[in-house]
Amino acid sequence: MFNTLDTSKTDDLFMVRKGWFSHEYELTDKIYSYGKITYHRLSMCKATVISATGTWIFKREGIFSRTLLITGEDMAIIGRATQALFSRKVVLTLQTGFSAEFNRPSIWSRVGIWNSTGYGVIMHIKSNPFCLTDFIHIDPNKAPTNLIPLLIFFGSFLTVLRRRRQAAH
C-alpha cells in the first residue's frame, strides 16, 4: 500500500492535506506515497499514522497535560514528548533511547526543525498559512532511517496542534 522511505534517494517530501475539510494528510514526494496521518474528531488532539514501517497513535497523556504519547499498534507506549510552559521546544524521548528536539527558531517562523544531540539537524518542516501542503526537507546525516517517518509525522502533528492552538486565541 505505502512505499518504504529511502532517505538516500529522497530528501524533499510533501505533507499534503486531502482537502480543506479533510482530517487526512498524505506524505508523498509527488510520485510515491509513504504514509498518511488521520486526525480523530474535530479537536485534532489524537491522530493515527499508517506507513510502510508501522502504525502509530499520537495523543495527549491527559486533558490538561503538556505531554504527548506515541503508542504502537499493540497500544504499548514507544515514546513521550514534553513541552515546558511558555517554550517553543518539544523534547521527544523514545523507549529505544533516541532523543530529539522539535523547535521553531522564532515566534514568527513557519519552519519547525528536528534536532538531535547525537545526529545534529535531522529535518526542516515548513508550513505556510492557508496552504494544503507542508514542505519537508531531510538533511543528510546519520540518523536512523527507520525513525525518519515517525519524526516527519510527529513533526506534522505538532505543527497542526500549534495551528489549532493559535486559531483558538
Side-chain angles (χ1 to χ4, degrees):
M1 180 168 175
F2 295 112
N3 292 343
T4 303
L5 180 62
D6 183 5
T7 56
S8 65
K9 296 178 183 175
T10 305
D11 60 354
D12 291 328
L13 299 166
F14 304 92
M15 186 67 73
V16 180
R17 189 173 187 172
K18 293 297 185 175
W20 285 108
F21 301 107
S22 176
H23 296 290
E24 186 174 295
Y25 292 72
E26 179 184 11
L27 179 64
T28 181
D29 61 357
K30 304 264 174 131
I31 298 172
Y32 300 109
S33 178
Y34 299 105
K36 70 177 182 175
I37 183 169
T38 306
Y39 291 88
H40 301 262
R41 302 183 198 159
L42 296 176
S43 68
M44 292 194 161
C45 290
K46 183 178 180 184
T48 301
V49 175
I50 301 171
S51 74
T53 57
T55 300
W56 306 290
I57 297 172
F58 305 146
K59 63 181 178 178
R60 289 199 185 279
E61 189 173 38
I63 295 174
F64 299 109
S65 177
R66 298 190 63 81
T67 301
L68 299 169
L69 299 176
I70 301 172
T71 58
E73 295 177 73
D74 57 356
M75 299 307 287
I77 296 173
I78 60 172
R80 185 178 304 268
T82 56
Q83 181 177 13
L85 195 61
F86 304 116
S87 175
R88 293 186 312 267
K89 297 179 182 181
V90 176
V91 178
L92 172 67
T93 307
L94 298 179
Q95 297 292 341
T96 60
F98 177 82
S99 179
E101 182 179 271
F102 185 78
N103 69 341
R104 291 179 297 139
S106 73
I107 294 172
W108 298 282
S109 177
R110 303 260 180 239
V111 177
I113 300 171
W114 275 112
N115 190 6
S116 176
T117 55
Y119 302 106
V121 175
I122 298 172
M123 75 180 69
H124 295 77
I125 299 175
K126 183 177 181 184
S127 172
N128 293 318
F130 307 112
C131 186
L132 295 176
T133 304
D134 292 345
F135 178 74
I136 300 155
H137 176 73
I138 303 169
D139 290 355
N141 57 32
K142 303 291 184 202
T145 55
N146 61 338
L147 294 179
I148 297 293
L150 175 65
L151 293 176
I152 291 172
F153 284 113
F154 195 67
S156 177
F157 178 71
L158 294 172
T159 302
V160 169
L161 284 181
R162 181 179 56 87
R163 276 191 212 140
R164 299 289 294 182
R165 199 169 36 244
Q166 288 176 342
H169 288 80

